Amino acid sequence: MNAPLVDMPEAAARRVEPGRFITFEGGEGAGKSTQARLLAAHLEQAGIRAIVTREPGGSPRAEALRSALLAGKAADLGPFGEAVLFGAARIDHIDTLIRPALAGGAWVVCDRFADSTRAYQGAAGKAKPELIAMLERIVVGPMRPDLTILLDLDPEAGLARARARGGDAAVDRFEGEQLAFHVALRSAFLEIAAKEPARVRIVDAALAPDEIADRIWTIVRDAFPAVLKQGAA
Ligand code: T5A
């Protein structure tokens, strides 16, 4: 029998930082940035220091990689090559922003994280799932989110929102993919949620922003009852 290429069991150590790490995931225009901001405001009202960040990006080096990736400059590398660059951006983001913030007791609210690589480069992009899984273990290690909010929306509605917001600006690398790509993305995110129900909670993103924010706040309070007492804020 061949020895495994890497030996990193799922039971790898949990991280020890005191802050909480919450990610938002979903297709284009699902409302992740809007809800990340609203959640951070809610947390601050409840007396918790919250930092909003995003991927790709969140640190100067990762933002430079974001510009290249969203301009399509890495598309010729193929989906796994792109995944490696998203991973490089993620390593810098974790090392320079996420881990230090969590270590200082802040909560980090991140607009997209490793589930986006699974969905965009893995399921929809068709990079080999075992390579994507291996990359995630190397890049993310124990820095897995405590909670992920999946904003689920019909892809045509999400793309229409993104286009309406973007005006005449050119669509980016992934917005420009065929509808079938975005349909595959939605299925991939729902599959991740089905496999990891304790971490990933689905919220209907077709509702009004305030209603979505209320539902997310209920989920967050329920997820961290020792910190956020019922009825807080
Ligand atoms: N990517 C990313 C990968 O391929 N692999 C990876 O590993 C990672 C991390 C990032 C791209 O990179 C890809 C995925 C992406 O294609 P991006 O610009 O950050 O690029 O793309 P998105 O994350 O999709 O950001 P968007 O801004 O397009 O979408 P959001 O953040 O989901 O939506 P938001 O909040 O900006 O809202 C969009 C518009 O809709 C309105 C807002 O006002 C705004 O105009 N809106 C609503 N309208 C009606 N009802 C609601 N409930 C609404 N909520 C918001």
Side-chain angles (χ1 to χ4, degrees):
M1 199 174 80
N2 290 335
L5 281 173
V6 287
D7 183 14
M8 296 181 67
E10 291 299 339
R14 290 283 300 159
R15 60 177 177 78
V16 294
E17 293 80 4
R20 302 292 195 280
F21 183 25
I22 301 175
T23 58
F24 279 85
E25 296 281 4
E28 307 289 322
K32 299 172 298 299
S33 317
T34 304
Q35 293 301 328
R37 280 193 302 272
L38 291 172
L39 174 59
H42 230 142
L43 288 167
E44 293 277 355
Q45 278 166 26
I48 288 171
R49 191 157 58 87
I51 291 169
V52 181
T53 185
R54 68 173 181 181
E55 289 213 346
S59 64
R61 283 183 288 264
E63 288 290 335
L65 283 167
R66 175 190 177 92
S67 301
L69 283 159
L70 297 198
K73 289 185 179 161
D76 288 346
L77 295 175
F80 187 66
E82 284 187 298
V84 169
L85 288 183
F86 278 108
R90 186 161 298 134
I91 287 169
D92 193 65
H93 188 204
I94 289 172
D95 286 349
T96 63
L97 188 148
I98 297 174
R99 189 184 292 108
L102 294 172
W107 290 33
V108 174
V109 178
C110 190
D111 179 352
R112 294 193 182 281
F113 194 63
D115 294 323
S116 282
T117 308
R118 291 192 205 174
Y120 277 76
Q121 283 66 53
K126 298 193 170 51
K128 287 185 180 160
E130 62 271 25
L131 291 182
I132 295 290
M134 199 180 290
L135 181 68
E136 181 176 319
R137 286 198 225 169
I138 293 165
V139 169
V140 174
M143 299 303 291
R144 289 184 291 273
D146 297 301
L147 174 69
T148 295
I149 304 291
L150 170 57
L151 291 176
D152 180 53
L153 184 64
D154 170 62
E156 288 187 84
L159 288 167
R161 280 186 195 170
R163 273 195 292 270
R165 189 228 16 228
D168 291 335
V171 294
D172 71 28
R173 157 84 182 89
F174 298 101
E175 284 167 5
E177 286 282 358
Q178 300 292 315
L179 183 60
F181 181 93
H182 296 282
V183 171
L185 275 179
R186 186 187 195 183
S187 304
F189 280 123
L190 290 172
E191 205 174 307
I192 293 169
K195 280 189 182 148
E196 296 184 59
R199 172 177 67 90
V200 186
R201 303 293 305 275
I202 303 170
V203 176
D204 180 359
L207 299 168
D210 286 352
E211 172 66 19
I212 296 171
D214 285 348
R215 291 186 182 201
I216 291 170
W217 186 239
T218 301
I219 290 169
V220 171
R221 267 196 338 220
D222 289 348
F224 306 106
V227 195
L228 296 165
K229 294 191 180 58
Q230 299 300 313

